[in-house]
Amino acid sequence: MRLNIKLPITGLMAAVTLAANAQIGSGWSTDSASHSLQKDGNVYYANSSGIETFRLNDSLAKRCEIKINNNYSSGSHEFQGYVKCSGSARSSGNSIQQVLEATTGVGDVNQLRIYDSSSGTIKVLQTGITLGTGVYGVYERINIIHYRSTGKIETWFNGSKKSVGNDVGSGTYYFKYGIYIAGSSGKPQTQWKSIQCWKK
């Protein structure tokens, strides 16, 4: 069963204090695009005091994610959030954050995955770059900056730029976060807080 539920942006951004002045760079304005909850299979979602919990409850569960409806084809766009991972990921990892292209069928062009190795490892799928290890049970700050003018996508981890990838050219892009990809019986889970997006 697949559900796609619109959520008010106010409830999802209840805990923005930590992120208020933490964006990378300057000249940004707040992007207040709405959020949609997407669920497929036996999954769990809750939002408690601004902390969103996403979990896949069995190996057939496919996704429990928030789609940010910030569809864009030009300009610069930044995502920021703090994520804590737990449970047990499948052997090839589970997606926790994505930049997706919506019009050509390419899908994700920058995907962060959590792996079980080294007590939790976050990597960028497209570049193969490791963002951090020992992340299980710890909140880590994630910033994604997409420059449509150059096609470059930067991934920052706890304030340090770690990866630079490429988009696929002209098209419509948007952000997602949560937990995605079936195949793990270990109930992989993410908890996200202080989600913000900016544009310029």
Side-chain angles (χ1 to χ4, degrees):
M1 179 177 65
R2 180 173 295 168
L3 299 175
N4 192 348
I5 304 168
K6 285 278 182 93
L7 297 176
I9 192 72
T10 303
L12 291 172
M13 296 182 65
V16 300
T17 303
L18 286 175
N21 297 302
Q23 70 265 37
I24 305 298
S26 60
W28 297 100
S29 60
T30 298
D31 188 339
S32 57
S34 64
H35 292 188
S36 298
L37 175 63
Q38 298 181 335
K39 301 166 66 177
D40 192 349
N42 180 13
V43 302
Y44 173 83
Y45 172 81
N47 184 349
S48 177
S49 300
I51 298 175
E52 296 178 87
T53 300
F54 305 83
R55 185 171 66 242
L56 305 180
N57 286 325
D58 59 40
S59 62
L60 298 179
K62 293 181 179 179
R63 75 174 69 246
C64 186
E65 296 180 291
I66 291 290
K67 176 185 181 293
I68 300 177
N69 300 306
N70 65 326
N71 292 4
Y72 59 89
S73 57
S74 61
S76 299
H77 301 266
E78 180 173 359
F79 168 94
Q80 178 176 276
Y82 293 77
V83 63
K84 180 171 68 174
C85 301
S86 59
S88 181
R90 73 175 195 161
S91 58
S92 57
N94 286 92
S95 170
I96 63 173
Q97 200 280 343
Q98 302 174 75
V99 179
L100 293 106
E101 199 286 310
T103 55
T104 65
V106 171
D108 58 89
V109 295
N110 196 82
Q111 183 187 112
L112 306 191
R113 283 197 182 187
I114 180 68
Y115 300 85
D116 278 342
S117 59
S118 302
S119 300
T121 297
I122 298 177
K123 293 184 178 182
V124 180
L125 177 65
Q126 284 75 12
T127 65
I129 292 174
T130 296
L131 302 184
T133 59
V135 303
Y136 275 152
V138 180
Y139 276 106
E140 312 286 1
R141 177 182 157 196
I142 302 295
N143 290 78
I144 308 293
I145 308 176
H146 188 183
Y147 302 99
R148 277 296 300 118
S149 61
T150 62
K152 298 299 183 182
I153 302 173
E154 296 179 353
T155 302
W156 294 63
F157 185 76
N158 291 328
S160 296
K161 183 165 64 175
K162 296 289 190 176
S163 170
V164 180
N166 298 289
D167 65 24
V168 291
S170 60
T172 300
Y173 296 84
Y174 61 91
F175 297 140
K176 267 190 173 184
Y177 65 98
I179 191 79
Y180 168 60
I181 305 177
S184 173
S185 59
K187 296 186 178 181
Q189 174 176 291
T190 60
Q191 290 181 293
W192 283 91
K193 65 181 181 178
S194 302
I195 301 299
Q196 283 196 279
C197 291
W198 297 279
K199 59 185 177 181
K200 62 180 176 181

